[in-house]
């Protein structure tokens, strides 16, 4: 059986990554990896579903024990991808989606060069700012921090395989879905060619 494909999605806070991922999980043959974080749980989030919420001590132990495929500090909190569960899903032939920020995404690319990196951008900074304000999840100070983080994140986008604008949600989801399907088709075809040679 062929290994699954690892897809990594990033984009500044407020670009709509969460909604895009939720739609993709419904439509596509792909599974989301659940990250661990030390940030506080928000209203409407579920422990073990949105994230595994753990303490800094617990997180640092996971790092020390080599249990994290990658991790990063973002806005004063740790976020990280569990190594074992991602490897298990890929070995079972399942396609896996990580929704993580660029430091982590580029680390993943160094460990899995065959991973496909997708960067989502907003149509303008003005729209990004108003989406952050309208969703009302962060304080003014946190919004400022996230806009500041966006500057560096944009500078990393050129290292990704695909850059997709989230102007209209459906269009953006379809474009990402095409990337997933086309990559799966290409990889299957390559496997077939390689099998013919063996
Ligand atoms: P939020 O607090 O809004 O849920 O996430 C903040 C940022 O952390 C987002 O850019 C999100 O993509 C990123 N993130 C979530 N999980 C992970 C992870 O496991 N690793 C890394 N490096 N970033 C993550």
């Amino acid at each position: 059986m062929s290994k699954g494909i690892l897809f990594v999605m990033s984009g500044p806070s407020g670009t709509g990554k969460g909604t895009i991922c939720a739609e993709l999980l419904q439509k596509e043959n792909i599974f989301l990896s659940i990250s661990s974080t030390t940030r506080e749980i928000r209203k409407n989030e579920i422990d073990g579903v949105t994230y595994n919420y753990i303490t800094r001590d617990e997180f640092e132990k996971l790092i020390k024990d080599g249990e994290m495929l990658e991790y990063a500090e973002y806005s004063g909190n740790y976020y990280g991808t569990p190594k074992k569960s991602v490897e298990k899903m890929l070995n079972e032939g399942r396609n896996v989606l990580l929704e993580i920020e660029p430091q982590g995404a580029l680390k993943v690319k160094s460990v899995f060069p065959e991973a496909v990196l997708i960067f989502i951008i907003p149509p303008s900074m003005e729209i990004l700012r108003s989406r952050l304000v309208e969703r009302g999840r962060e304080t003014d100070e946190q919004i400022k921090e996230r806009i500041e983080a966006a500057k560096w994140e944009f500078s990393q986008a050129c290292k990704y395989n695909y850059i997709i604008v989230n102007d209209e949600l459906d269009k953006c989801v379809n474009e990402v879905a095409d990337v997933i399907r086309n990559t799966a088709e290409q990889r299957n075809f390559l496997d077939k060619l390689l099998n013919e040679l063996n």
Side-chain angles (χ1 to χ4, degrees), residues 2-3 5 7 95 114-116 161-162 178-194:
S2 321
K3 269 186 84 169
I5 307 167
F7 293 92
N95 297 332
E114 68 278 23
V116 178
N161 300 98
Y162 297 91
D178 281 346
V179 167
I180 295 172
R181 281 185 219 151
N182 291 339
T183 307
E185 242 175 64
Q186 288 160 1
R187 300 276 166 104
N188 276 337
F189 189 61
L190 278 173
D191 281 349
K192 203 172 135 245
L193 288 180
L194 283 169

Side-chain angles (χ1 to χ4, degrees), residues 128-139:
L128 183 76
R129 205 170 277 119
S130 61
R131 280 183 189 160
L132 282 172
V133 172
E134 274 160 28
R135 73 182 187 185
R137 277 195 221 148
E138 289 89 9
T139 60

